[in-house]
Amino acid sequence: MPAWLFSQNTISIHVHNVPSEDGKINVAVYDSDETFLKFEGVVKTGSTQAHKGVVDLKIEDMPAGEYALAIFHDENGNDELDKNWLGIPTEKVAFSKGKMKTFGPPKYKECVFSVNSDFEIDIEL
């Protein structure tokens, strides 16, 4: 078997435009279209204390593959993405590449990126 199958990589995430130091910045990593944005489909998660401006997170021990990220600013620290009565997020949300649309989030294929070594990504919240 090729050695790269066993290599573990780090995804370094730079989240820009964090509006405040309230709560946490949470990230979820997905690896398929079928499980994208489903709680049961999360491959890995990470979180860190929010602060205004740019927040950096690292997701470690990721095998080579294709992934998509969903990030949200959990301002009230309740570990949930708060939504209004229509199901629209009331906390800031971002994705690895795709943008939130008028009628919902982007698709997995719009957010996916390849990891073959350590990887850095900048995301606008």
Side-chain angles (χ1 to χ4, degrees):
M1 292 201 147
W4 60 266
L5 283 176
F6 300 104
S7 65
Q8 299 297 304
N9 307 292
T10 298
I11 301 172
S12 297
I13 307 158
H14 310 291
V15 182
H16 298 262
N17 299 324
V18 176
S20 73
E21 68 275 349
D22 297 333
K24 300 183 286 187
I25 300 297
N26 293 332
V27 62
V29 182
Y30 299 90
D31 66 355
S32 80
D33 185 47
E34 295 78 30
T35 60
F36 186 54
L37 302 181
K38 295 182 178 139
F39 183 75
E40 308 81 37
V42 175
V43 173
K44 279 202 172 197
T45 63
S47 72
T48 191
Q49 180 64 42
H51 58 267
K52 190 171 182 159
V54 180
V55 172
D56 297 318
L57 291 118
K58 290 187 186 288
I59 303 293
E60 299 179 326
D61 300 323
M62 296 298 299
E66 289 190 335
Y67 301 102
L69 305 176
I71 293 127
F72 78 97
H73 182 190
D74 182 17
E75 287 187 88
N76 60 9
N78 68 352
D79 291 323
E80 293 180 15
L81 175 59
D82 295 329
K83 301 174 185 173
N84 67 17
W85 63 277
L86 291 172
I88 298 170
T90 57
E91 295 177 306
K92 293 232 175 215
V93 184
F95 303 92
S96 44
K97 289 189 177 181
K99 304 285 183 205
M100 196 69 157
K101 299 176 183 177
T102 303
F103 296 106
K107 303 287 183 203
Y108 176 78
K109 66 181 178 181
E110 297 171 296
C111 300
V112 73
F113 58 91
S114 294
V115 172
N116 297 309
S117 61
D118 288 348
F119 185 84
E120 281 193 55
I121 187 166
D122 289 287
I123 297 173
E124 300 288 326
L125 191 61

